Amino acid sequence: MGPQKAALCAAHGDSGFPAPGIAGIRENPKIPDIMFSSAEPFRAIWRRARRLLRPAGRGAPLPSGMTVPIRSLGVQHRERIAQHLLQLQPADRYLRFGYAASDEQVRRYVERLDFVRDEIFGIFNRRLQLIATAHLAFSQRPEQGGRAEFGVSVLEHARGRRLGARLFERAVMHARTAGVHEVFIHALSENTAMLRIARNAGATVRRDGSEAQAYLQLHPPGLKTRMAELATRHYGEMNYQFKKQLRQWSALPGPGAAEASK
């Protein structure tokens, strides 16, 4: 059995606030006096940020053109990954691992994750909960050099938003820049969601009884792909730090604390 036997599947514009230190700004009649109160500008920023980070309900598609922030995970996220996988229902664990994994088996899998050799990706909601994660495991066999296996899991309440497909796209981008020429998926034949993601990406799917294999051949990366990899990685990190800062602000005592907690 391979390392992943089976797989389951802030915008910022012109805020309207005056630049600090501009002489005569208070005399501008177009700027309301409320903008100069000590708390109101921060409340306005908070309301806008909360609307930006508010997740869609289950099954609600993401707005057209919206990029899903995906963060690369490290050893410091090991416990979060474990908690994410432990939240999967028994049927979902069966599809993810290819067997009815117990809590102990899930924890053993997480403990064996190699964050140096492999790449782990995650999607966090505005509460910094890990709602989806993917594992791109690079082959350790010399005869299979240049190959990597993909596995993904999405919590039930976050499905229907193509997060699994977005994670697959992100993994393929990284695989290309890492010199991988083939990404494969080892899944149960009944895992239609995972096989659909593979087919939509152009992979060849072969069924063998209760199991299926999907193979996606990759082209060597160009400069555009390498730049996109860097930009995507930075965007995921910045989005995570932004959400983290917002949560810290919401925890601060003060006039806006009650409103921020709504």
Side-chain angles (χ1 to χ4, degrees):
M1 180 180 298
Q4 312 206 77
K5 174 66 176 173
L8 172 69
C9 16
H12 184 278
D14 183 4
S15 63
F17 297 124
I22 300 178
I25 193 71
R26 292 295 298 271
E27 285 71 30
N28 190 333
K30 296 182 179 180
I31 301 178
D33 290 339
I34 196 172
M35 298 297 288
F36 299 96
S37 64
S38 59
E40 189 59 31
F42 298 101
R43 291 176 181 172
I45 293 174
W46 175 256
R47 288 193 294 266
R48 178 176 295 185
R50 282 178 62 84
R51 286 196 299 269
L52 177 66
L53 296 175
R54 184 173 295 118
R58 179 179 177 182
L62 292 169
S64 178
M66 175 175 285
T67 301
V68 176
I70 299 174
R71 192 187 190 209
S72 293
L73 305 182
V75 65
Q76 71 273 22
H77 299 108
R78 197 183 296 274
E79 181 57 29
R80 290 199 183 191
I81 296 172
Q83 291 302 320
H84 164 82
L85 294 172
L86 289 171
Q87 291 182 66
L88 296 176
Q89 297 298 317
D92 296 329
R93 290 192 195 184
Y94 176 67
L95 292 177
R96 175 63 180 84
F97 297 103
Y99 59 92
S102 65
D103 289 358
E104 182 181 357
Q105 289 170 321
V106 169
R107 286 200 171 275
R108 276 206 301 268
Y109 161 79
V110 176
E111 290 170 2
R112 291 197 302 266
L113 288 175
D114 189 333
F115 293 92
V116 176
R117 183 194 66 225
D118 299 340
E119 192 72 23
I120 319 295
F121 299 103
I123 298 176
F124 294 85
N125 64 10
R126 63 188 177 95
R127 298 183 180 89
L128 297 184
Q129 298 169 334
L130 189 60
I131 59 174
T133 183
H135 182 186
L136 185 66
F138 294 87
S139 177
Q140 302 179 59
R141 300 178 181 178
E143 68 275 13
Q144 293 186 349
R147 303 181 75 224
E149 183 178 359
F150 175 81
V152 64
S153 57
V154 180
L155 295 185
E156 185 175 6
H157 70 271
R159 293 172 192 163
R161 298 159 58 188
R162 299 191 69 247
L163 299 185
R166 301 294 179 90
L167 283 165
F168 185 69
E169 294 166 2
R170 178 70 183 91
V172 167
M173 178 189 295
H174 178 77
R176 290 180 63 193
T177 60
V180 172
H181 61 76
E182 182 182 77
V183 170
F184 69 95
I185 297 169
H186 189 176
L188 296 175
S189 295
E190 61 192 275
N191 194 345
T192 56
M194 186 67 257
L195 296 179
R196 186 183 309 115
I197 290 174
R199 283 199 184 92
N200 290 342
T204 300
V205 178
R206 301 170 184 167
R207 295 178 182 269
D208 183 14
S210 62
E211 298 184 354
Q213 299 274 355
Y215 303 90
L216 179 64
Q217 301 297 319
L218 306 182
H219 297 291
L223 178 61
K224 183 177 180 180
T225 300
R226 295 187 183 280
M227 295 301 294
E229 160 83 4
L230 290 174
T232 303
R233 184 179 293 272
H234 282 295
Y235 174 63
E237 179 63 27
M238 289 174 61
N239 180 273
Y240 178 87
Q241 296 300 332
F242 179 59
K243 293 174 181 176
K244 182 178 179 179
Q245 189 66 57
L246 286 180
R247 287 190 61 78
Q248 292 174 349
W249 286 348
S250 68
L252 292 176
E259 181 179 352
S261 64
K262 292 180 181 179

